[in-house]
């Protein structure tokens, strides 16, 4: 066993964007910090990698909106070269008998929606306003440490005070708005959308957000929250927008790493951690798989909490009830992720042409209705994957010429629904042997909307849920580090009594997407955790 010469104030398990964010804030507060990342590159699920000679793309996470503007400012990401370009329109839905474009201004979207229903077009402004009012309340909660109920009587009193503070945004709402908030936090997206709109395409365009990373039907109660979680963001100050980081998602995390290094953070890559070390009942550092020990006064976990407590923290140091809750922590997305190198842009039956057009620069959703999405879910539950899957395609090379050779393109295919645990429904089969069959199906699905697409694919990189778990440590392929459901949100993320980033072992903290406010490339769990850690350092506690 080798011990590194230096003892750090904090060692961070994993160099995902939240680990980097947390490290940068800790370093700014004067702490010495070491990040140990298992992969050869930092960034976690937000990285850009070459997958075919001359072709690079975001490997997992692929589009920006949720990244907190304060994190962008505080970590000087623009100064480190980050440029985010807005999509000209948000979404394009090719349909069997036409298409729908969403975005590019309210009037443009209303004109598009009116092709299917005049009353739906008329309902749009009120729907957007309703969503924005509730999203504003959510924004007010994101950056705060949730009330930590259940962590002891004194803490419960503090938690009540925190709730009163956190409820400020809620109290400003009228009664109808409070009802909307309750609906969005508890109901299914399908029920809400059915109440607002009649025509299928606009419901599909909005409902897609409810099933992204969420292995559920759009009619599953709680799916409306997942929809809401996808609309609180902004790009370049424009709310609700999604955009493309020039150079791919790795541009965000490389800029974060640059700021970390400027603040003196030691970043170790190809440094897989085998376990958290415990001395005198406190987390005291980590041991790498090669036996090297990095000593630290505090250990901050950027990894999925299920992985942390299943694999890295010795069980005897964790209360039995907490361990049991973590074993049952719901983790598993129905997502299948592909990158493809393309010889040409797809030409859609609904809107032909291979010269770059607005719709090529948007999120292209291939799933015409909520009923289609619901079928996809039930099919995946029983068959292992949906035989008519939901595919969103983004072609970032249309706005970023750093990703592919001139005249060629790269596309991200983000596909739902596949079963995160394939052997559970198809005994004897694993994602290793089903991967290629399902990848072919995804390409055939796009082919239905854009004939010739399959022939234009020069190369592909495929990530099944199992690959996401092996490659990034995303247990069950869960893109959020745990389902975004009411029982695993806010004061109960990851578990009631530990929503304040402090884990049930002294000196151990959680700073990744498994902590409030959950998944997405936000930087917020990292920033919130750093604030709590700095408080503890100053008060000499935990
Ligand atoms: C396919 C996919 C698509 C997505 N699309 C989007 C999107 O378009 N937009 C968006 O905002 N969000 C998206 N997300 C969600 C978002 O990417 C994640 O929620 C977010 O990146 C989580 O960040 P994190 O820093 O908390 O954790 P992670 O990014 O998971 O980082 C954790 C890090 O810990 C490392 N690690 C694991 N085990 C060890 C160990 N033993 N020792 C050392 N290091 C270890 C991992 O290698 C990883 O680098 C997507 C996610 C996926 C998987």
């Amino acid at each position: 066993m080798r011990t590194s010469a230096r003892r750090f104030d904090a060692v961070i398990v994993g160099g995902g964007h939240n680990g980097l964010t947390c490290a940068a804030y800790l370093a700014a507060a004067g702490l010495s910090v070491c990040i140990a990342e298992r992969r050869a590159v930092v960034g976690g699920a937000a990285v850009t990698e070459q997958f075919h000679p001359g072709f690079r793309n975001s490997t997992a996470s692929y589009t920006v909106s949720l990244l907190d503007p304060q994190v962008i400012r505080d970590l000087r990401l623009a100064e480190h070269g980050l440029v985010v370009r807005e999509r000209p329109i948000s979404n394009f839905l090719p349909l069997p008998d036409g298409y729908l474009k969403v975005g590019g201004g309210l009037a443009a979207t209303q004109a598009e929606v009116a092709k299917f229903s005049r009353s739906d077009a008329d309902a749009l402004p009120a729907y957007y306003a309703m969503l924005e009012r509730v999203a504003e309340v959510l924004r007010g909660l994101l950056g705060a440490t949730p009330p930590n109920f259940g962590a002891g009587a004194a803490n419960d009193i503090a938690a009540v005070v925190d709730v009163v503070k956190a409820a400020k945004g809620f109290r400003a709402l009228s009664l109808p708005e409070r009802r909307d908030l309750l609906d969005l936090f508890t109901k299914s997206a399908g029920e809400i959308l059915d109440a607002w709109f009649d025509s299928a395409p606009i419901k599909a365009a909005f409902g897609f957000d409810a099933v992204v990373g969420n292995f559920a039907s759009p009619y599953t109660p709680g799916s409306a929250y997942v929809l809401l979680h996808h609309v609180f963001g902004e790009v370049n100050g424009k709310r609700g927008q999604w955009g493309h980081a020039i150079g791919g998602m790795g541009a965000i995390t490389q800029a974060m790493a640059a700021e970390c290094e400027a603040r003196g953070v030691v970043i170790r890559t190809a440094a897989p951690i085998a376990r958290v070390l415990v001395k005198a009942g406190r987390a005291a550092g980590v041991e790498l798989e090669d036996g090297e020990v990095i000593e630290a006064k505090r250990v901050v976990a950027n990894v999925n909490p299920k992985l942390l407590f299943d694999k890295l923290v010795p069980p005897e140091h964790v209360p039995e009830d907490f361990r049991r809750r973590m074993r049952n922590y719901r983790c598993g997305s129905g997502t299948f992720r592909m990158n493809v190198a393309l010889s040409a842009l797809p030409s859609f039956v609904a809107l032909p042409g291979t010269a770059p057009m607005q719709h090529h620069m948007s999120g292209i959703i291939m799933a015409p209705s909520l009923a289609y999405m619901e079928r996809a879910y039930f099919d995946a539950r029983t068959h292992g994957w949906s035989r008519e899957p939901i595919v969103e395609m983004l072609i970032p090379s249309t706005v970023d010429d750093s990703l592919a050779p001139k005249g060629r393109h790269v596309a991200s295919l983000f596909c739902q629904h596949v079963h995160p645990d394939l052997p559970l429904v198809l005994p004897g089969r694993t994602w290793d042997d089903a991967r290629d069959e399902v990848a072919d199906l995804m390409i055939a699905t796009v082919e239905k909307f854009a004939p010739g697409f399959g022939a234009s694919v020069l190369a592909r990189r495929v990530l099944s849920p199992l690959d996401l778990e092996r490659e990034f440590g995303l247990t069950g392929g869960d893109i959020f580090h745990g389902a975004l459901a009411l029982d695993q949100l806010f004061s109960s993320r990851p578990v009631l009594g530990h929503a304040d980033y402090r884990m049930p072992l002294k000196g151990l903290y959680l700073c990744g997407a498994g902590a409030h406010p959950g998944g997405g490339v936000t930087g917020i769990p990292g920033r919130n955790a750093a604030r709590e850690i700095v408080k503890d350092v100053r008060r000499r506690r935990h």
Side-chain angles (χ1 to χ4, degrees):
M1 187 156 76
R2 289 171 294 124
T3 300
S4 56
R6 193 167 163 197
R7 183 174 178 235
F8 292 89
D9 291 321
V11 61
I12 302 201
V13 182
H17 85 282
N18 275 315
L20 292 162
T21 302
C22 185
Y25 281 105
L26 292 179
L31 275 67
S32 60
V33 185
C34 174
I35 296 175
E37 164 57 43
R38 192 176 64 82
R39 299 185 81 228
V41 57
V42 290
V47 282
T48 306
E49 290 167 300
Q50 175 165 296
F51 65 100
H52 184 64
F55 293 84
R56 303 185 307 139
N57 199 8
S58 305
T59 306
S61 173
Y62 59 101
T63 179
V64 198
S65 174
L66 310 179
L67 186 58
D68 191 73
Q70 195 189 326
V71 169
I72 296 177
R73 281 193 301 276
D74 290 350
L75 271 63
R76 304 188 309 140
L77 300 186
E79 284 91 320
H80 291 294
L82 179 66
V83 174
V84 180
R85 189 161 299 164
E86 293 150 46
R87 297 182 193 171
I89 56 169
S90 314
N91 293 108
F92 169 65
L93 273 83
L95 302 164
D97 51 354
Y99 64 81
L100 172 71
K101 287 188 197 172
V102 179
L106 178 62
T109 306
Q110 281 186 298
E112 281 284 315
V113 172
K115 295 189 306 193
F116 304 93
S117 160
R118 182 69 251 171
S119 64
D120 284 0
D122 293 342
L124 272 177
Y127 174 77
Y128 281 130
M130 178 279 292
L131 207 54
E132 175 52 28
R133 276 192 301 273
V134 178
E136 188 56 20
V137 176
L138 180 60
R139 283 184 203 111
L141 300 175
L142 299 171
T145 299
N148 200 25
F149 286 111
N155 284 308
D156 280 355
I157 295 167
V160 172
V161 176
D162 288 343
V163 166
V164 174
K165 280 193 220 151
K168 209 169 72 195
F170 180 76
R171 289 199 307 273
L173 297 179
S174 65
L175 183 57
E177 290 166 345
R178 290 176 188 196
R179 290 175 178 148
D180 290 334
L181 182 137
L182 186 65
D183 285 352
L184 278 160
F185 273 76
T186 55
K187 279 188 172 173
S188 76
E191 282 169 299
I192 291 177
L193 292 168
D194 284 345
W196 277 90
F197 304 108
D198 296 323
S199 58
I202 190 64
K203 290 194 257 182
F206 291 149
F208 172 73
D209 278 342
V211 296
V212 169
N214 182 23
F215 189 44
S217 156
Y219 287 95
T220 303
S223 55
Y225 177 78
V226 183
L227 184 160
L228 180 67
H229 194 87
H230 282 99
V231 302
F232 68 67
E234 60 174 67
V235 172
N236 303 331
K238 294 192 186 144
R239 290 206 159 155
Q241 286 277 328
W242 285 83
H244 171 72
I246 298 299
M249 297 300 277
I252 298 172
T253 46
Q254 287 303 313
M256 288 176 163
E259 184 62 15
C260 281
E261 276 168 348
R263 294 181 188 185
V265 174
V266 174
I267 298 181
R268 302 269 309 266
T269 52
I273 289 168
R275 64 191 180 99
V276 171
L277 296 175
V278 182
K279 276 190 198 155
R282 277 191 70 85
V286 294
E287 183 180 339
L288 304 188
E289 281 179 8
D290 67 4
E292 180 185 343
V293 165
I294 302 174
E295 290 186 323
K297 292 182 193 159
R298 291 180 161 79
V299 176
V300 186
N302 179 200
V303 293
N304 181 310
K306 197 173 174 80
L307 182 150
L308 176 69
F309 290 100
D310 275 359
K311 305 241 165 74
L312 304 183
V313 178
E316 63 274 21
H317 298 292
V318 181
E320 168 51 26
D321 185 69
F322 184 91
R323 269 189 299 156
R324 189 170 60 79
R325 305 272 166 188
M326 272 294 121
R327 272 198 302 276
N328 297 320
Y329 182 68
R330 286 182 303 113
C331 230
S333 293
T335 64
F336 191 92
R337 177 75 173 85
M338 293 171 66
N339 276 328
V340 290
L342 298 176
S343 59
L345 285 178
S347 174
F348 291 89
V349 179
L351 193 52
T354 53
M357 285 179 272
Q358 257 191 354
H359 68 281
H360 288 121
M361 300 166 196
S362 74
I364 301 166
I365 298 174
M366 282 160 273
S369 66
L370 295 176
Y372 178 103
M373 296 181 195
E374 178 161 71
R375 273 198 308 278
Y377 169 65
F378 285 116
D379 207 19
R381 277 209 77 101
T382 50
H383 174 74
W385 57 84
S386 158
R387 284 160 287 191
E388 287 193 312
I390 303 159
V391 180
E392 188 195 27
M393 177 162 68
L394 230 74
I395 313 175
S397 50
T398 52
V399 294
D400 181 353
D401 60 13
S402 75
L403 301 176
K406 204 171 167 17
R408 304 279 164 109
H409 288 280
V410 291
S412 307
L413 302 189
F414 196 29
C415 315
Q416 342 273 323
H417 279 309
V418 302
H419 203 293
D421 185 359
L422 192 62
L424 194 71
V425 276
L426 288 186
R429 293 210 68 180
T430 71
W431 274 116
D432 284 333
D433 62 66
R435 182 190 302 108
D436 281 336
E437 184 181 341
V438 175
D440 290 344
L441 168 72
M442 299 308 174
I443 291 191
T445 304
V446 181
E447 178 83 20
K448 278 193 213 161
F449 295 91
F453 179 75
S456 72
V457 174
L458 304 169
R460 68 192 194 188
R461 180 168 187 207
V462 183
L463 293 168
S464 72
L466 181 63
D467 297 319
L468 289 171
E469 176 159 343
R470 283 194 294 230
E471 190 66 46
F472 298 104
L474 296 168
T475 306
D478 198 307
I479 76 166
F480 302 126
H481 288 202
L484 295 180
L486 210 51
D487 61 314
Q488 296 189 169
L489 282 174
F490 202 50
S491 293
S492 32
R493 192 160 186 90
V495 166
L496 200 66
H498 294 281
D500 63 353
Y501 308 91
R502 298 171 182 89
M503 293 295 103
L505 168 66
K506 279 205 179 316
L508 180 66
Y509 299 81
L510 189 64
C511 76
H516 171 76
V521 178
T522 67
I524 304 174
R527 186 184 68 210
N528 288 356
R531 185 182 59 237
E532 295 302 321
I533 295 164
V534 170
K535 264 192 221 164
D536 286 354
V537 169
R538 297 203 171 130
R539 293 178 197 162
R540 295 171 188 272
R541 64 173 198 198
H542 195 73

